[in-house]
Amino acid sequence: MPQTDSKISYDKGHLKSEELLLLYRAMLKPRLIEEKMLVLLRQGKISKWFSGIGQEAISTGVTLSLQEDEYILPMHRNLGVFTSRNIPLHRLFSQWQGKASGFTKGRDRSFHFGTQEYRIIGMISHLGPQLGVADGIALAHKLKKEKKITAVFTGEGGTSEGDFHEALNIASVWQLPVLFCIENNGYGLSTPTNEQYKCQDLAERAAGYGMESLILDGNNILEVYQNISRLAQNMRENPRPVLVEFKTFRMRGHEEASGTKYVPDELMAAWAKKDPIENYRQFLSSEEILSEDLDKKYKAEIKAEIEEDLKTANAESAMEFDESKELNDVYENFEYQDFAPKENAEELRFIDAVSQGLRQSMQKHGDLVLMGQDIAEYGGVFKITEGFVEEFGKERVRNTPICESGIVEAAMGLSIKGMKSMVELQFADFVSSGFNPVVNYLAKVHYRWGQNADVVLRMPCGAGVGAGPFHSQTNEAWFTKTPGLKVVYPAFPYDAKGLLNTAFNDPNPVLFFEHKALYRSIRQEVPVNYYTIPFGKAAKLREGNDVTIITFGAAVHWVLETLEKHPDVDADLLDLRTLQPLDTKSIFSSVKKTGKVIILQEDSLFGGIGSDIAAMINEECFEYLDAPVKRVGSLETPIPFAKALEEGYLSKAKFEAKLLELLQY
């Protein structure tokens, strides 16, 4: 029979009636769930809701086009992704109520979660980072020679973020099988598309990255399902990224409290006529595929399932706070395995020890991938990975575009697929360009939904080499205060190699600081074999009774120079080596013995880790102190370039006087 009332033109192609009905029911389920949620919202039984009403054809069509073990990274309005993957509704309801049967143990809400069981990787509120994460998952598929694709969603507003452009560029350069799905639904909260971008169609942007693109009617389930099914199969055989723009509309507010008063009435009315479910129902009815009785049966079954699963979720107890559980879930459990150093040793510079540890970790971990600017044939700006391409190949030693954020996100994606990665930040200063995924994705992901981030970020840092304000920072304090990250900062070649090996064994994100001024100036006998050093264990370099000196990094060597000038100073010297976890036991033990303590850091004083250590000492060792805790840090300015200015800036110049002053107290 011909179509009668439908405002959308459908072509069922070779699809059978069973498949056509499956698509209808797949769209109907999230719609009925949403209608129930809106009732509960008005009753005050849920706190917030992001509606996808009017966009169901995209979520369900894409999800059903993919294989069940292919990853999808959805957004707020993609309930159809979750229902099409057959997640039990009571678990979704528990998630939205912040209960234990959800996916985040009450620690995050709505669709801010992932589940490896269903191959769904949820968003974070910053939107853009998931695009780069999709790159990492797809890269893992490609490296493992798996014929799989990854689908990732964003809205038209999210395409304004830098992460969008970085992710598309990386995917194109590396030819990654990522299906980038833009749900162009008219508004980013209240901002219309004409205030978001000036091109006619967002699909046009693909050409700038050497990618192909496609524009689909996002309200036409058959157009979505058939085109994405064909495209997905082609991408599995011919891996490459494709950008798909789905034209659709958001029929409700950004979230329910926002309302839709900013939308012209005529625009709302026009899109209401293109409702994807009502139009498809009319089409199936006109084709005598869906009867009124069958439609009622579907609705009754879905509503009954909703009510039953709501009862299950409602009956579940609310979360109760358990401090030990909260703390224990910040990091993935790491069982340290000790690999002992052997007697056979050679004298190595600091930089050579880092390179040797990196090479031996690559040999030990066949799934470890190195990424960074110029690290392949060139060997990196410091030549640490020189020769690695010849030994490990370009698939595992990868030059990257200049896009720190996207590469950190790709590293997260590799971890989701069970691989290890290292990202070399050319200079630690440049991590600010990738700050968001470090502190908001890597750091929080295990606490939020139990996924570890098996990522090491190498951070060449520090002043003293005349590199000026943008290549000289020692910015460990940006990260020591962020739960979920581990921070390592060795001062000697021996420690650098052993701690780096441990970093690659640890399944948690590790920021590994390497002071540039030490690279070629410090030498030491280093065991030739593979060995490890545990995190959270300070090294006591000097034993004494008069004062405790606490420091790390290049400042360790400044202290040693000072003590050589003053052999009469009887000091305990602690090289922290790792800042998170911190060896508080050794700190407190030494302070209780000596009664005086001075903390030296290269970073400017205010807000540095020395302040926290001083506070902890005051809290734990106050009655043992014979003098106030002394902190020494660099000047409260950016780091200058000229030699005299840099020397005046650094805390090195102040330490000797401050130490002698403390001893005389």
Side-chain angles (χ1 to χ4, degrees), residues 61 64-66 224-234 236:
L64 294 173
S65 299
L66 268 58
V224 172
Y225 177 70
Q226 293 181 100
N227 279 280
I228 298 301
S229 295
R230 286 192 292 267
L231 180 59
Q233 184 54 37
N234 190 274
R236 293 181 193 111

Side-chain angles (χ1 to χ4, degrees), residues 12-23 280 289:
K12 63 184 179 181
H14 300 292
L15 296 177
K16 298 177 182 178
S17 295
E18 294 80 8
E19 295 173 279
L20 296 169
L21 289 171
L22 173 66
L23 293 172
Y280 190 53
I289 294 171

Side-chain angles (χ1 to χ4, degrees), residues 362-661:
M362 285 285 281
Q363 293 165 347
K364 178 178 175 59
H365 302 288
D367 60 351
L368 173 58
V369 177
L370 311 184
M371 298 183 288
Q373 296 160 27
D374 307 298
I375 70 166
E377 292 85 354
Y378 189 70
V381 293
F382 298 106
K383 301 301 182 183
I384 285 175
T385 53
E386 192 168 29
F388 277 43
V389 167
E390 289 78 5
E391 183 172 351
F392 303 109
K394 286 208 69 171
E395 286 194 334
R396 293 184 64 198
V397 184
R398 307 183 73 89
N399 283 333
T400 69
I402 301 176
C403 50
E404 285 79 7
S405 188
I407 295 303
V408 172
E409 293 155 14
M412 181 68 238
L414 287 171
S415 185
I416 286 171
K417 274 287 292 173
M419 299 184 70
K420 294 177 178 289
S421 63
M422 179 225 76
V423 178
E424 179 184 296
L425 280 303
Q426 202 165 70
F427 294 89
D429 314 64
F430 298 168
V431 74
S432 56
S433 293
F435 193 73
N436 178 34
V438 176
V439 300
N440 284 315
Y441 210 130
L442 269 61
K444 295 178 172 65
V445 66
H446 188 267
Y447 175 76
R448 288 173 53 241
W449 56 276
Q451 171 63 53
N452 68 304
D454 201 340
V455 180
V456 174
L457 304 180
R458 286 188 40 252
M459 307 276 285
C461 65
V465 292
F470 303 118
H471 298 77
S472 304
Q473 293 175 90
T474 173
N475 45 14
E476 68 281 348
W478 295 1
F479 307 103
T480 52
K481 76 165 305 297
T482 304
L485 301 175
K486 296 189 177 183
V487 181
V488 181
Y489 205 144
F492 294 95
Y494 177 91
D495 292 340
K497 179 180 173 180
L499 290 168
L500 185 59
N501 287 334
T502 300
F504 286 117
N505 294 336
D506 195 316
N508 295 285
V510 178
L511 284 92
F512 196 88
F513 285 83
E514 305 163 9
H515 202 290
K516 305 187 303 294
L518 303 182
Y519 270 161
R520 292 174 170 82
S521 65
I522 300 299
R523 295 174 177 269
Q524 191 180 31
E525 289 290 311
V526 177
V528 173
N529 70 299
Y530 176 92
Y531 65 93
T532 56
I533 296 172
F535 290 168
K537 297 282 188 181
K540 184 176 283 189
L541 304 182
R542 294 285 182 93
E543 185 86 37
N545 296 300
D546 293 344
V547 64
T548 297
I549 303 172
I550 301 170
T551 189
F552 56 93
V556 172
H557 300 280
W558 304 345
V559 172
L560 290 171
E561 290 173 15
T562 301
L563 293 179
E564 287 297 318
K565 291 171 60 179
H566 299 277
D568 55 322
V569 174
D570 193 31
D572 256 12
L573 172 55
L574 293 181
D575 172 9
L576 294 175
R577 302 197 295 189
T578 65
L579 309 181
Q580 183 59 265
L582 185 66
D583 187 358
T584 55
K585 182 179 179 181
S586 293
I587 292 171
F588 298 155
S589 175
S590 177
V591 172
K592 289 175 180 179
K593 179 182 69 171
T594 67
K596 293 182 178 180
V597 57
I598 184 169
I599 306 162
L600 174 64
Q601 64 187 39
E602 180 177 333
D603 195 10
S604 53
L605 192 60
F606 189 83
I609 192 173
S611 301
D612 282 303
I613 295 173
M616 287 189 288
I617 291 170
N618 276 320
E619 290 172 355
E620 299 293 331
C621 308
F622 182 76
E623 63 271 30
Y624 296 91
L625 292 174
D626 296 323
V629 176
K630 183 73 71 176
R631 296 174 300 139
V632 185
S634 295
L635 203 62
E636 298 292 330
T637 70
I639 305 168
F641 157 66
K643 183 176 177 61
L645 298 181
E646 186 179 41
E647 288 178 349
Y649 160 84
L650 284 171
S651 55
K652 178 180 182 180
K654 310 171 190 176
F655 175 70
E656 181 179 4
K658 295 291 184 182
L659 173 64
L660 297 177
E661 178 184 316

Side-chain angles (χ1 to χ4, degrees), residues 151-164:
V152 59
F153 286 84
T154 189
E156 84 287 338
T159 66
S160 298
E161 291 195 322
D163 297 86
F164 171 82

